Amino acid sequence: MRGVNTGVDFNQWVKVPKGTFYSITSWRVIDEHGQPESLLVGPYYSSKHLDTMDHDFEIMATEVTNEQYARFLNQALDSGIIKIIGDTIKTYYKGDPFTGYDHELKVSAGYYPVMVLNQPGLHIKYDQGRFAAEKGYENHPVVYVTWFGANAYAKFYGYRLPTEKEWERAAMGDNIRAYPWGDEINPHYANYLHGNKELRKVYGSPVRTTPVGFFNGKTYKGPYGEFKTMDNRSPYGAYDMCGNVWEWCADDYPFMHYRFMRGGSYLNYEIYAATWVRNNAEPWFASPSVGFRCVRDLIDKCTKQ
């Protein structure tokens, strides 16, 4: 599914305002005695409660694309932020606090993988010392990027990864909803497992990722017919917060140091694309179904003066 122009600007940001909202996921990970509690990670484990977002922020309207990430890799290589060892791109990470709790993952200071090149389904190429997005896939979400690689991108440009709380606020707005646009889902809203099968009927097989912002209400002509999309933007205007690729979040929870992802992917059933569902993995994990988007803080002009 290459070379599809969605008309969506993948350099766009949208504002998410502070305020009280219904959060579905439990955020508390330490009990009143300072001991770790279990995190709710399955698709059916959720609890509704009022929460407050105490700051405005902006979130990328789309997931980071291959074109954007290839540009970052070139700039980071020139700046010495990354190095290439064989097929592995690595970057330095300062490490995380470690308490020695049972099964806690230790992440010490050192060089960690950003991405492993030459993977099937990876559309970033490295040739003669430069990175480039594969032609026709420039506007697809970057995949096979580790948490370290997502974090390095965000820090390089002065952004950051969203916390789970920020991600959920951006996806749901003020009201509880199963998906960013409402409570019903069908193949015309998002790129998830059943929807992906419908896309194959129009574009042929295989269809993995779709271009960012593909589900925007337009009708596209493919080799084998037409495909009508619905607008899947969240209440604040963010595309694809359901399906396409899982999105890394920033949180480094005490006693575990796994990293969490939100949103589901083209490989998952619709229940895993619901706004309250969480996935997790080691920060060096990479997959053809995992990407990310960034957030940035809004600075009050009066405060700045």
Side-chain angles (χ1 to χ4, degrees):
M1 189 178 177
R2 67 167 71 211
V4 177
N5 181 12
T6 67
V8 171
D9 179 7
F10 54 72
N11 293 302
Q12 179 186 1
W13 294 75
V14 295
K15 180 181 177 180
V16 180
K18 62 186 176 183
T20 301
F21 68 107
Y22 278 101
S23 175
I24 294 178
T25 305
S26 173
W27 306 109
R28 198 174 66 161
V29 294
I30 302 176
D31 66 19
E32 61 271 21
H33 304 296
Q35 298 301 310
E37 288 184 335
S38 297
L39 286 174
L40 305 179
V41 297
Y44 306 105
Y45 295 99
S46 61
S47 60
K48 179 182 75 172
H49 63 281
L50 275 174
D51 209 335
T52 300
M53 182 61 61
D54 62 2
H55 60 280
D56 298 333
F57 63 94
E58 287 186 321
I59 191 167
M60 289 179 165
T62 69
E63 293 144 342
V64 173
T65 64
N66 289 313
E67 180 179 305
Q68 290 171 314
Y69 205 77
R71 183 186 307 121
F72 156 70
L73 289 174
N74 285 323
Q75 294 172 344
L77 186 63
D78 294 341
S79 303
I81 303 298
I82 60 172
K83 60 183 180 180
I84 305 171
I85 303 174
D87 280 345
T88 303
I89 307 168
K90 291 191 173 187
T91 191
Y92 181 81
Y93 182 67
K94 61 180 177 54
D96 296 322
F98 181 70
T99 63
Y101 190 77
D102 287 351
H103 309 297
E104 181 182 359
L105 182 69
K106 188 172 185 178
V107 180
S108 303
Y111 280 87
Y112 289 94
V114 165
M115 174 183 285
V116 178
L117 298 169
N118 301 317
Q119 300 290 316
L122 175 63
H123 298 295
I124 290 181
K125 306 300 180 184
Y126 181 65
D127 184 47
Q128 297 182 351
R130 306 309 288 171
F131 294 95
E134 185 179 346
K135 188 174 181 180
Y137 291 97
E138 294 92 342
N139 64 347
H140 283 242
V142 64
V143 294
Y144 282 110
V145 59
T146 67
W147 183 91
F148 297 112
N151 182 64
Y153 177 98
K155 287 187 65 177
F156 188 82
Y157 294 113
Y159 312 146
R160 54 187 177 81
L161 295 179
T163 63
E164 285 197 272
K165 184 174 176 178
E166 287 173 328
W167 190 98
E168 193 170 87
R169 171 70 167 159
M172 285 201 305
D174 292 330
N175 302 315
I176 296 173
R177 56 187 73 208
Y179 303 102
W181 57 86
D183 292 324
E184 302 296 329
I185 188 171
N186 65 56
H188 301 278
Y189 272 108
N191 182 12
Y192 62 100
L193 187 60
H194 286 157
N196 192 271
K197 291 178 181 177
E198 293 300 312
L199 284 169
R200 294 182 190 185
K201 293 178 183 178
V202 176
Y203 286 99
S205 183
V207 175
R208 296 185 176 92
T209 58
T210 46
V212 297
F214 178 79
F215 294 90
N216 58 20
K218 290 177 62 174
T219 298
Y220 300 90
K221 291 184 178 180
Y224 307 105
E226 293 186 343
F227 189 86
K228 167 67 177 174
T229 66
M230 304 297 288
D231 190 340
N232 77 0
R233 283 178 293 179
S234 76
Y236 304 118
Y239 291 96
D240 302 326
M241 297 197 79
C242 161
N244 216 12
V245 294
W246 289 100
E247 299 180 12
W248 286 113
C249 290
D251 307 84
D252 171 25
Y253 292 114
F255 309 108
M256 64 166 56
H257 301 304
Y258 279 14
R259 298 303 195 274
F260 281 78
M261 300 170 254
R262 304 298 292 260
S265 80
Y266 68 89
L267 291 175
N268 299 118
Y269 291 107
E270 55 266 42
I271 184 61
Y272 289 95
T275 53
W276 59 80
V277 177
R278 310 158 83 187
N279 196 357
N280 65 75
E282 297 91 344
W284 44 78
F285 175 79
S287 163
S289 62
V290 175
F292 71 102
R293 74 179 76 208
C294 299
V295 297
R296 62 187 180 189
D297 296 315
L298 288 173
I299 301 174
D300 191 316
K301 292 181 179 178
C302 294
T303 303
K304 198 172 182 181
Q305 292 173 356

